[in-house]
Amino acid sequence: MLDAIKSAGRDRDSVKLTSFFTSDAVIVIDLPANMGGRMEMGVTQYREQLSQTWSLPAEFTFDVEDESYTISKDGKSAEASSTMIEEVMMGGRVIISSRSKEEMRIVAVDGKPAISNVYAKITFNQ
């Protein structure tokens, strides 16, 4: 599932990416105060935000590091964490470079894994 999510991100496919979320998932993103601070949203709002961002005439790249996973003893949920490094380029120049520490909770829904919560703390490189 996590590989499919990365693939959807590389393809800028917000519908496919959010199809791995529960319908009531909560996404929390902590940005620096001067960039809006803490944002909390549901799946629909998150999908719309991704679509708007990815529609910009820019090149988006990302890499994932420090991935770790813990499955609960009963096998019905898991925790995943990683660090995502992203860059946005326009006209051949990097305009935004960021690092985000991400944590997600994955639960079983009808026998399939689905993301129920995401927390991301984003920092921007100078």
Side-chain angles (χ1 to χ4, degrees):
M1 176 185 83
L2 296 175
D3 286 339
I5 290 170
K6 287 182 214 174
S7 177
R10 284 187 184 93
D11 294 341
R12 295 194 239 180
D13 187 339
S14 61
V15 172
K16 182 176 180 183
L17 190 145
T18 56
S19 72
F20 297 100
F21 286 68
T22 62
S23 61
D24 61 348
V26 176
I27 298 95
V28 176
I29 301 173
D30 269 335
L31 294 162
N34 66 336
M35 298 200 66
R38 185 181 187 101
M39 298 185 333
E40 186 172 322
M41 62 192 93
V43 177
T44 301
Q45 185 181 3
Y46 184 57
R47 181 182 314 113
E48 290 169 359
Q49 182 178 14
L50 288 173
S51 294
Q52 288 175 351
T53 300
W54 289 340
S55 70
L56 295 171
E59 181 182 339
F60 299 85
T61 62
F62 73 92
D63 194 20
V64 180
E65 298 178 344
D66 305 324
E67 294 177 282
S68 67
Y69 315 94
T70 306
I71 299 173
S72 67
K73 288 181 183 181
D74 65 6
K76 294 182 180 181
S77 66
E79 303 288 331
S81 66
S82 63
T83 300
M84 184 176 297
I85 297 115
E86 297 179 273
E87 286 188 339
V88 179
M89 295 180 66
M90 293 180 90
R93 292 183 19 190
V94 174
I95 59 168
I96 297 175
S97 179
S98 67
R99 238 179 139 70
S100 62
K101 180 67 177 167
E102 299 185 357
E103 299 170 358
M104 55 177 107
R105 178 155 177 78
I106 302 165
V107 297
V109 177
D110 297 327
K112 294 182 180 179
I115 299 167
S116 63
N117 296 82
V118 174
Y119 172 77
K121 181 169 179 68
I122 302 175
T123 56
F124 292 89
N125 304 326
Q126 301 294 348

